[in-house]
Amino acid sequence: MYFEDLTPYSYHRSEAESGAVNVGWLGADHPFASGTASVEFLDRLFVICRDHVFKMHRGFHVCEFCPNAANAPLAAIRIGNEARLGFGEIRVRHQGGKVFAAPTLIYHYVADHQYLPPREFIEAVLLGDCLVDHARGSS
Ligand SMILES: [Zn+2]
């Protein structure tokens, strides 16, 4: 499922008007920015992808860059904790108000494929807040 970074979110039509922008919807046929992310950013992103999923998918997505991804969901381990990725999306709000919509696989892309998201998204993860789906409560 590929969407270019910073394009208007449109994956789920019901939210297409929300004003969120895409980040981290990588696809095998599209080049992406790469670089080294900070440990602090990865720590925070891991927690968001594990504990603050905004929207669940009906099935799961797999990484298009891992040759052995096949049809099994992906599990990421960080400091002894496990997060199962590919099942949903996160929403992170920048201090300036912009909301980013990313698949939980984004953690794997950054940690294992050196994907470097746009600077604003990194700032939002570090300093902004993450949103939860009203339907699922805010607990
Ligand atoms: Zn991968």
Side-chain angles (χ1 to χ4, degrees):
M1 186 61 60
Y2 172 78
F3 296 108
E4 189 176 347
D5 279 355
L6 306 182
T7 54
Y9 175 84
S10 61
Y11 183 30
H12 284 99
R13 278 161 198 259
S14 60
E15 283 182 63
E17 303 300 318
S18 68
V21 296
N22 294 307
V23 165
W25 298 86
L26 306 187
D29 297 332
H30 302 268
F32 57 84
S34 63
T36 303
S38 70
V39 170
E40 186 186 15
F41 170 69
L42 275 168
D43 282 347
R44 179 78 183 129
L45 187 61
F46 180 85
V47 170
I48 294 173
C49 289
R50 186 191 59 184
D51 296 341
H52 301 287
V53 174
F54 176 83
K55 179 180 281 296
M56 299 297 287
H57 294 143
R58 259 183 231 118
F60 60 89
H61 294 173
V62 296
C63 174
E64 296 182 16
F65 305 99
C66 284
N68 299 318
N71 296 309
L74 201 145
I77 308 283
R78 187 167 190 81
I79 320 171
N81 294 302
E82 182 181 280
R84 287 160 65 76
L85 307 177
F87 291 96
E89 301 172 22
I90 60 171
R91 293 289 184 282
V92 184
R93 184 166 52 204
H94 191 271
Q95 312 91 288
K98 187 181 283 186
V99 175
F100 298 94
T104 54
L105 275 173
I106 193 171
Y107 171 79
H108 168 73
Y109 294 146
V110 176
D112 297 319
H113 297 294
Q114 287 73 51
Y115 164 59
L116 194 64
R119 184 179 48 83
E120 261 190 308
F121 176 77
I122 295 175
E123 289 174 1
V125 167
L126 291 173
L127 303 169
D129 53 344
C130 51
L131 311 184
V132 291
D133 194 342
H134 295 301
R136 297 178 67 233
S138 57
S139 58

